[in-house]
C-alpha cells in the first residue's frame, strides 16, 4: 500500500509538495482544484495542458498525482439536479476525464450529493482540546431546503431566482447517479481513469430535504452493480463508513478491498455514529487503525491511503502538523505490522 497526502485548492505549490515528500508521502490527491490551479475551470471542464502542468509540478517534487477529488459544482450542477443542461455537462465531464487520462492521472474521486458535506459544527473534540468537527444532532443548523442556484453546499448561480429545489427522493437520486454512471463509465474505461465514489458525509438518509445515497456500506453494492466495470469504483472514506449506523467498518474494508473496488482510501478516525459523531486524531477514535490496515492489506489492497482531515493542533501550521502526525503514525503502524510501504 502507498502513503499519500490530500491537498486543497491553491495548495499545489512547490513548498507544500516538498513538505509532502518530506513527511513520507509518495502520492498526491488534489482536492477540488479551482481556477488558481486549473484556469480552464471557468470553461466547464479541465484542459489537458493544465492537468499535464499539474502532473509535471507534482512529479518535479518526486511525487505522483494519484487522483483529483471532486468536480466543481458548476461543472455538474444539472447532473446532480437532473436539470436541462445534464447532457451538455456530461459532455464536459467526459472531456475532463479524457484529458485526465491523457495526462496520466489514474483516479477521479467524486461525491454524488445535493446537500454535500453539511451540518457539522466545530468543537474541541480532539485530544487536548484540538478543534475538529462533528455532527451533533442538537447543535446542527436548521435543515432548510436547498435554495435554487446552490448544490453540493456551494452557490453555482448567484442570479438564480428565489425558491428551493424542494424535496428529492432516493429513487430520483439513484436515477440521476445511474444516468451519470451509464454515460461516464464507458468514457472512463476508454481513458483509463477510475471513477471513485465518496460516501455521503454525514451519512444521514436525508439532509435538507434531499435524499442521500451512500449512507450504509451495502449501498456501495448498488452503485457498483449499476454499471459493472473496473472503472466504476469507490473512494473508501473510512471515517464516513465508521459514522454509518449498523456498519462494520472492517467488514466493509474486507468486502470492497477483496473485490478490487477501492480507488483510494481516506484513512481517518472518528468517535460515534450519526446523528452524533466527532472527528478525532487518528489514534483516539473508535477504529483500531492497525486492524483496519491489516484488513486492507490482507484483502489485497495495493492503492493509496491519505489522512483525509485531522483536528487542528495549536501551532502556526495546524494543517501541516496534523498531516505530519497522521502520516507518521501510518508509516509506523505499517512498519510494525510488516505491511510493505510501496512507492
Ligand atoms: Mn472523506
Amino acid at each position: 500500500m502507498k502513503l499519500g497526502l490530500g491537498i486543497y485548492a491553491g495548495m499545489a505549490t512547490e513548498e507544500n509538495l516538498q513538505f509532502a515528500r518530506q513527511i513520507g508521502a509518495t502520492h498526491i490527491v488534489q482536492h477540488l482544484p479551482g481556477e488558481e490551479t486549473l484556469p480552464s475551470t471557468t470553461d466547464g471542464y479541465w484542459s489537458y495542458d493544465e492537468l499535464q502542468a499539474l502532473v509535471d509540478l507534482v512529479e518535479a517534487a518526486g511525487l505522483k498525482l494519484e487522483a483529483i477529488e471532486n468536480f466543481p459544482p458548476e461543472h455538474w450542477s444539472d447532473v446532480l439536479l437532473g436539470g436541462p443542461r445534464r447532457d451538455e455537462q456530461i459532455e464536459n465531464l467526459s472531456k475532463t476525464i479524457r484529458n485526465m487520462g491523457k495526462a496520466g492521472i489514474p483516479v477521479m474521486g467524486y461525491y454524488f450529493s445535493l446537500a454535500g458535506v453539511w451540518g457539522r459544527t466545530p468543537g474541541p473534540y480532539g485530544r487536548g482540546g484540538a478543534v475538529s468537527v462533528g455532527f451533533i444532532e442538537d447543535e446542527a443548523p436548521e435543515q432548510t431546503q436547498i435554495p435554487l442556484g446552490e448544490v453540493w453546499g456551494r452557490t453555482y448561480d448567484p442570479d438564480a431566482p428565489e425558491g428551493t429545489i424542494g424535496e428529492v427522493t432516493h429513487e430520483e437520486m439513484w436515477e440521476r447517479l445511474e444516468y451519470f454512471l451509464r454515460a461516464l463509465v464507458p468514457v472512463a474505461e476508454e481513458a483509463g481513469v477510475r471513477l471513485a465514489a465518496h460516501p455521503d458525509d454525514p451519512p444521514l438518509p436525508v439532509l435538507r430535504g434531499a435524499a442521500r445515497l451512500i449512507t450504509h456500506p451495502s449501498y456501495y453494492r448498488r452503485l457498483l452493480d449499476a454499471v459493472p466495470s473496473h472503472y466504476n469504483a469507490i473512494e473508501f472514506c473510512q471515517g464516513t463508513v465508521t459514522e454509518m449506523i449498523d456498519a462494520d467498518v472492517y467488514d466493509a474494508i474486507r468486502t470492497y478491498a477483496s473485490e478490487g473496488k477501492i480507488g483510494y482510501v481516506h484513512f481517518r478516525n472518528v468517535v460515534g455514529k450519526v446523528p452524533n459523531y466527532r472527528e478525532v486524531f487518528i489514534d483516539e477514535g473508535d477504529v483500531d487503525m492497525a486492524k483496519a490496515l491489516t484488513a486492507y492489506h490482507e484483502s489485497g489492497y495495493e492503492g493509496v491511503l491519505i489522512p483525509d482531515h485531522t483536528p487542528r493542533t495549536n501551532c502556526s501550521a495546524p494543517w501541516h502538523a496534523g498531516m505530519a502526525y497522521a502520516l507518521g503514525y501510518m508509516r509506523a503502524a505499517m512498519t510494525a505490522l510488516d505491511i510493505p510501504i510501496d512507492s
Side-chain angles (χ1 to χ4, degrees):
M1 301 194 290
K2 299 156 190 159
L3 293 175
L5 188 66
I7 56 172
Y8 292 97
M11 290 181 67
T13 62
E14 214 174 300
E15 188 186 20
N16 283 327
L17 293 168
Q18 287 297 351
F19 165 79
R21 189 80 195 89
Q22 288 160 2
I23 63 169
T26 49
H27 290 66
I28 292 291
V29 172
Q30 170 68 70
H31 179 91
L32 195 52
E35 305 169 48
E36 76 297 319
T37 304
L38 303 172
S40 58
T41 300
T42 53
D43 298 336
Y45 64 93
W46 290 322
S47 76
Y48 163 69
D49 286 351
E50 292 168 8
L51 289 166
Q52 185 64 57
L54 179 60
V55 167
D56 293 345
L57 182 70
V58 171
E59 287 183 356
L63 298 153
K64 178 163 173 32
L65 184 60
E66 178 69 7
I68 294 184
E69 186 168 295
N70 297 323
F71 296 113
E74 67 273 20
H75 284 195
W76 68 329
S77 49
D78 270 11
V79 177
L80 295 168
L81 291 161
R85 296 183 60 212
R86 169 155 75 169
D87 289 334
E88 176 197 330
Q89 289 183 339
I90 280 180
E91 259 320 297
N92 278 339
L93 300 182
S94 301
K95 281 187 201 170
T96 287
I97 295 297
R98 289 190 191 102
N99 290 339
M100 284 177 65
K102 203 170 154 196
I105 306 167
V107 184
M108 180 66 205
Y110 70 97
Y111 171 26
F112 206 95
S113 175
L114 294 177
V117 178
W118 185 89
R120 303 173 315 166
T121 45
Y125 306 137
R127 183 172 45 229
V131 174
S132 178
V133 292
F135 191 91
I136 315 291
E137 202 171 21
D138 293 341
E139 292 175 16
E142 193 197 340
Q143 292 198 33
T144 52
Q145 288 188 347
I146 299 167
L148 296 174
E150 182 185 316
V151 75
W152 215 77
R154 301 201 187 200
T155 299
Y156 67 92
D157 179 8
D159 302 322
E162 293 280 303
T164 74
I165 68 165
E167 297 200 349
V168 182
T169 67
H170 284 98
E171 279 320 299
E172 286 173 295
M173 283 305 286
W174 277 109
E175 184 278 329
R176 294 174 194 178
L177 173 64
E178 287 166 11
Y179 191 95
F180 162 84
L181 290 172
R182 281 196 299 272
L184 219 57
V185 171
V187 177
E189 283 175 344
E190 227 172 88
V193 177
R194 292 186 96 183
L195 302 175
H198 192 280
D200 276 282
D201 177 12
L204 287 162
V206 176
L207 213 48
R208 306 187 73 188
R212 295 163 80 75
L213 296 175
I214 312 298
T215 55
H216 186 271
S218 60
Y219 294 125
Y220 265 139
R221 177 69 55 211
R222 181 167 177 181
L223 177 145
L224 295 169
D225 285 351
V227 182
S229 167
H230 177 69
Y231 293 89
N232 181 17
I234 67 181
E235 183 186 330
F236 194 90
C237 183
Q238 189 181 294
T240 304
V241 171
T242 306
E243 294 153 15
M244 295 175 178
I245 299 287
D246 290 332
D248 180 323
V249 69
Y250 312 106
D251 185 55
I253 292 168
R254 287 184 183 276
T255 298
Y256 294 112
S258 64
E259 294 176 22
K261 287 298 178 190
I262 298 180
Y264 63 96
V265 173
H266 280 179
F267 194 71
R268 74 172 159 85
N269 217 332
V270 66
V271 171
K273 287 178 178 287
V274 284
N276 288 291
Y277 68 82
R278 307 178 308 279
E279 296 189 5
V280 294
F281 286 108
I282 193 165
D283 57 346
E284 60 172 354
D286 291 346
V287 180
D288 177 336
M289 297 304 251
K291 191 173 164 184
L293 285 168
T294 302
Y296 291 110
H297 177 58
E298 288 183 354
S299 306
Y301 181 65
E302 292 181 338
V304 172
L305 308 159
I306 67 169
D308 207 8
H309 349 115
T310 80
R312 296 173 69 81
T313 51
N314 288 23
C315 66
S316 57
W319 178 84
H320 293 81
M323 291 301 141
Y325 183 82
L327 269 178
Y329 179 93
M330 289 157 75
R331 175 173 290 274
M334 287 171 71
T335 303
L337 292 164
D338 273 331
I339 296 174
I341 300 170
D342 306 315
S343 57

